[in-house]
Amino acid sequence: MSNLERVAILGASGWVGRTAWHWLRQLDTQVLAFAGSSRIEKISDVDYRFEEYDVRKIQDFKPTTVIDSAFLTREKVSTLTLERYIGTNTALIEQALELQRLPTVERFVGISSGASIPYLKLQTPNFELDPYGSLKATYEKRLLQNHELRAKTTVGRIWSVSGPLVTKPSIFAFSDLAKQALGGAITIKAPHEVWRRYVDLEDFLKVVVLADPGQDRAVDSGGELIEIGQLAHLIFEVLGTTPRIERKFVSGLLADRYYSDDISWQEASSQINLIPKNIRDQIALVTDALGKTGVPESNSEIK
């Protein structure tokens, strides 16, 4: 089990970073949180202090664990030039490798994505075809290429997650459907089947930080397999309101299937005796958070 005495979080203002910090505060862990700028933000009625990245501060802090979620995500591809997108994320990868090498760090947790999978076996990254997936694959390879550093590293691959601290609810299907349902009606734009597995993000972080990932050094998010239309109906059921769902479904179209095989998730969560929140519990958490705050859209980098 990793030493959680002192934890440094990179990309701390995003969804993953905020969720990690929220969990670690409950454990009374010392946390040093880095974001794009130094500031204090109130999150769930608690003041969180973000520092601008400074490797000297981290060295002085002597972290025992690093959680790295600093990365420009997929939606940023359309707002930046390809050169800048690649350059910024490449710099963030080098930043991660610098901290991975610190002698005080007993565990390094690198947050990746299921989008990396198609590119892990390619010799040369195809940044033009899929810059985000290719860069995440590059990130994973770089983290695990050194045998000595590999032994203290866990790659946590997020496929689909839910959680009350989501920073951009409109761009993620789970929170977007919940947000729509709170407004009384859901419109599903996809005319084809969309299949996902969802886990609560805090549950995911507990598992990737505390479990031994085994020889592959990677844990993929898993969860119950559900079609997006079923999820919409379940959200209304949990809310106790009449379902109003609009969807122009076209039969015969190829289904969108983006999910892991659930194996590493089941093994890792069982290893630390964690019973993950089921889909109903996840819906209740997210709708409660959205209903209370409305969760304003954030410009933070998220997963």
Side-chain angles (χ1 to χ4, degrees):
M1 184 175 289
S2 180
N3 187 341
L4 295 178
E5 183 182 353
R6 294 180 304 280
V7 180
I9 304 174
L10 305 182
S13 63
W15 184 11
V16 172
R18 290 170 189 242
T19 304
W21 201 353
H22 179 264
W23 164 50
L24 293 168
R25 284 182 72 102
Q26 300 169 47
L27 304 179
D28 200 28
T29 298
Q30 293 183 61
V31 175
L32 189 59
F34 291 93
S37 61
S38 297
R39 62 189 188 277
I40 296 175
E41 283 188 25
K42 189 175 288 292
I43 304 168
S44 298
D45 297 323
V46 177
D47 286 335
Y48 287 77
R49 181 175 184 81
F50 299 110
E51 304 279 353
E52 189 171 355
Y53 182 78
D54 184 339
V55 70
R56 292 168 299 181
K57 285 184 181 179
I58 297 179
Q59 290 169 336
D60 292 341
F61 181 61
K62 295 181 172 59
T64 50
T65 296
V66 172
I67 299 173
D68 177 35
S69 60
F71 215 83
L72 294 183
T73 43
R74 189 183 294 279
E75 79 276 7
K76 299 286 186 181
V77 175
S78 62
T79 63
L80 301 172
T81 64
L82 181 60
E83 183 180 14
R84 185 177 176 192
Y85 184 82
I86 294 171
T88 300
N89 278 330
T90 299
L92 290 173
I93 291 172
E94 294 300 328
Q95 174 181 286
L97 295 170
E98 183 177 30
L99 299 196
Q100 186 193 31
R101 291 190 290 266
L102 292 179
T104 62
V105 174
E106 299 172 13
R107 171 157 292 188
F108 186 96
V109 178
I111 302 299
S112 188
S113 166
S116 69
I117 296 294
Y119 308 101
L120 287 173
K121 293 183 179 180
L122 297 182
Q123 295 297 319
T124 305
N126 192 336
F127 293 131
E128 291 191 4
L129 176 65
D130 181 359
Y132 177 70
S134 295
L135 282 161
K136 278 299 188 184
T138 300
Y139 174 63
E140 290 190 27
K141 290 176 183 178
R142 295 287 305 280
L143 284 179
L144 300 178
Q145 67 184 9
N146 180 290
H147 179 73
E148 184 178 339
L149 297 178
R150 178 188 177 96
K152 66 176 181 181
T153 300
T154 297
V155 170
R157 282 195 205 104
I158 291 176
W159 292 75
S160 300
V161 291
S162 70
L165 296 179
V166 56
T167 49
K168 293 182 181 177
S170 295
I171 71 170
F172 297 102
F174 193 108
S175 49
D176 182 52
L177 294 182
K179 193 175 177 181
Q180 289 189 61
L182 287 167
I186 287 178
T187 299
I188 299 175
K189 295 179 181 178
H192 51 270
E193 289 184 352
V194 178
W195 292 90
R196 298 289 187 267
R197 297 185 190 274
Y198 286 99
V199 296
D200 174 74
L201 181 53
E202 185 170 309
D203 283 346
F204 176 75
L205 288 168
K206 289 176 181 177
V207 170
V208 297
V209 171
L210 299 176
D212 183 342
Q215 188 175 357
D216 289 343
R217 310 309 300 173
V219 176
D220 293 81
S221 68
E224 176 187 347
L225 188 59
I226 190 168
E227 205 280 321
I228 212 75
Q230 297 172 329
L231 177 60
H233 279 279
L234 200 54
I235 291 171
F236 280 114
E237 190 175 314
V238 171
L239 287 173
T241 54
T242 303
R244 289 179 56 201
I245 301 169
E246 180 182 342
R247 184 182 196 180
K248 294 180 180 178
F249 190 82
V250 180
S251 61
L253 294 180
L254 189 66
D256 176 351
R257 297 181 180 274
Y258 180 75
Y259 51 83
S260 73
D261 59 18
D262 203 35
I263 294 174
S264 66
W265 172 247
Q266 292 291 343
E267 290 177 348
S269 55
S270 296
Q271 184 189 131
I272 66 168
N273 299 314
L274 177 82
I275 300 175
K277 296 176 188 67
N278 62 36
I279 198 75
R280 288 176 176 270
D281 292 338
Q282 293 175 57
I283 290 169
L285 269 177
V286 173
T287 52
D288 183 59
L290 289 170
K292 285 179 179 176
T293 66
V295 187
E297 300 286 315
S298 164
N299 290 322
S300 304
E301 293 152 21
I302 54 176
K303 292 286 163 299

